[in-house]
Amino acid sequence: MLFHRSRLYKISLAAIAIVSLLMTACGNSDSFSITGEIEGLGTRNLRFYYHDGNSVKVGLASALDSKFRFEGHSKHPAVITITTGQRNVLGTVVAGNGDDISLTLSARDPFVMKADGNRTTKELAEFITVNSQVLASGNSQKINETVENYIKQFPKRKSATVAMLTFYDAGDDPARADSILQSIDPEARPNNFIAGYRDQIRRVIASRESSTIEPVTLYCEKDSLTTIKPSQNRFTLFTFVKGTEALNDSITAQLKKIEKNKGVKIVNVFLDSDTTKWKNSIRNSDVPGLNTWVTGSTASPRISQFGLRTIPAFAVVDSTSTLLYNGPSLSKAARLLN
């Protein structure tokens, strides 16, 4: 009998050890964690927006030497938007209680993403990596086609829903956008993803895009400095571009339409490191607007208030110096210039 009890005791200890090991491996069932590094970020505060099924939550964490750890709570998998303290979006993941997400992002390139911890986040990272060039182009039509193709290929993936919510520009054809979203398998587009994500993004944008833009001093074509004061114009449209092909035919065509609106001042900000190459590229250019240049590319303190993460990027500022739009879509920016 003693032998039997001793053996039973050992088996119980072993069982407890196994359960403990499984709980450690699976994470805390009452919370989720996101641990990672945002290359080039340094030491800054971070915000984590997500909808836990009841309301939008905003979590805070600090990145020390670009490394961070955040713990949140959501019974159901939630789409989590990671931003700087100034609400500039750094990345998106999906997590629910029990998940331990490991993440690598870049403060300079929003389309660098490595992730592990759950299937949806890993698949989303793969989508971003494979399609980084298209996503970085800022071409809404091409981006929409890429997202639509992904949904057609993987209609049962929750990552397809997240890609749709995160990257698809529904502004030009909302009915088509809704049709594409409805083509995703219902189990892969839970309501807390869709309604919750829209609520949290409204909160991010409302916080970020109500900021005030101070006068911006830039180099112009004659090697002199010029100061752009948004308060002097009804609207100021900033285009941030890089490379000799930066202002491609599509962007140029849209800018020529915008130029007809006399209440808009167009300022093209080139982020090239080679000033000679920049000057040569605009010498015979018919691109509308004031052509300017800034040192340090996106990291330049002269334009740091815009919090640029994608190139090309476009920003609309009104006469009260309020930032109305800041993002990769010239079409979205143009719709505000009336």
Side-chain angles (χ1 to χ4, degrees), residues 3-179:
F3 173 77
H4 176 71
R5 286 183 177 176
S6 175
R7 185 180 178 187
L8 185 62
Y9 179 68
K10 289 179 180 179
I11 292 172
S12 298
L13 286 178
I16 292 169
I18 291 170
V19 170
S20 299
L21 183 62
L22 288 172
M23 289 182 66
T24 302
C26 296
N28 188 337
S29 60
D30 295 328
S31 65
F32 65 83
S33 68
I34 306 172
T35 305
E37 180 175 4
I38 303 174
E39 297 169 351
L41 184 70
T43 298
R44 296 183 69 175
N45 292 326
L46 299 175
R47 292 173 179 262
F48 297 78
Y49 293 83
Y50 62 98
H51 198 289
D52 68 353
N54 296 311
S55 61
V56 176
K57 304 296 182 183
V58 185
L60 303 175
S62 294
L64 302 175
D65 294 329
S66 301
K67 295 180 175 62
F68 72 92
R69 176 180 171 81
F70 171 73
E71 187 171 298
H73 307 271
S74 180
K75 292 181 180 179
H76 307 284
V79 182
I80 301 160
T81 303
I82 305 170
T83 79
T84 63
Q86 291 72 41
R87 282 79 166 180
N88 297 314
V89 177
L90 294 168
T92 302
V93 302
V94 174
N97 289 348
D99 286 334
D100 290 311
I101 305 296
S102 60
L103 188 64
T104 300
L105 299 171
S106 170
R108 300 184 181 91
D109 187 344
F111 306 111
V112 170
M113 181 177 176
K114 298 177 183 177
D116 207 350
N118 65 34
R119 179 177 175 179
T120 302
T121 298
K122 191 172 182 178
E123 289 171 350
L124 180 64
E126 290 170 353
F127 169 79
I128 291 171
T129 300
V130 170
N131 299 289
S132 59
Q133 288 188 329
V134 174
L135 298 175
S137 71
N139 186 317
S140 295
Q141 182 179 348
K142 290 183 178 179
I143 293 171
N144 285 0
E145 289 173 356
T146 299
V147 173
E148 188 171 350
N149 288 336
Y150 184 68
I151 290 171
K152 287 179 180 177
Q153 188 176 3
F154 303 109
K156 294 186 177 182
R157 288 186 176 183
K158 289 181 180 178
S159 57
T161 301
V162 181
M164 179 79 187
L165 295 172
T166 309
F167 298 109
Y168 195 92
D169 183 354
D172 291 331
D173 194 344
R176 179 173 177 78
D178 186 64
S179 175

Side-chain angles (χ1 to χ4, degrees), residues 244-318:
T244 54
E245 295 82 24
L247 290 170
N248 58 40
D249 292 342
S250 173
I251 294 176
T252 300
Q254 290 184 77
L255 290 177
K256 286 182 177 179
K257 290 180 180 179
I258 293 169
E259 186 183 28
K260 295 176 183 178
N261 185 340
K262 300 303 180 182
V264 180
K265 182 179 183 64
I266 300 172
V267 181
N268 303 314
V269 185
F270 289 79
L271 306 176
D272 302 86
S273 57
D274 187 333
T275 55
T276 302
K277 192 174 181 180
W278 165 65
K279 289 178 182 178
N280 289 338
S281 71
I282 64 171
R283 182 167 289 125
N284 300 313
S285 171
D286 63 345
V287 175
L290 175 67
N291 292 319
T292 66
W293 173 77
V294 67
T295 59
S297 190
T298 56
S300 171
R302 293 183 185 274
I303 57 173
S304 61
Q305 61 183 321
F306 291 96
L308 299 178
R309 297 193 62 249
T310 60
I311 301 297
F314 307 93
V316 175
V317 186
D318 69 10

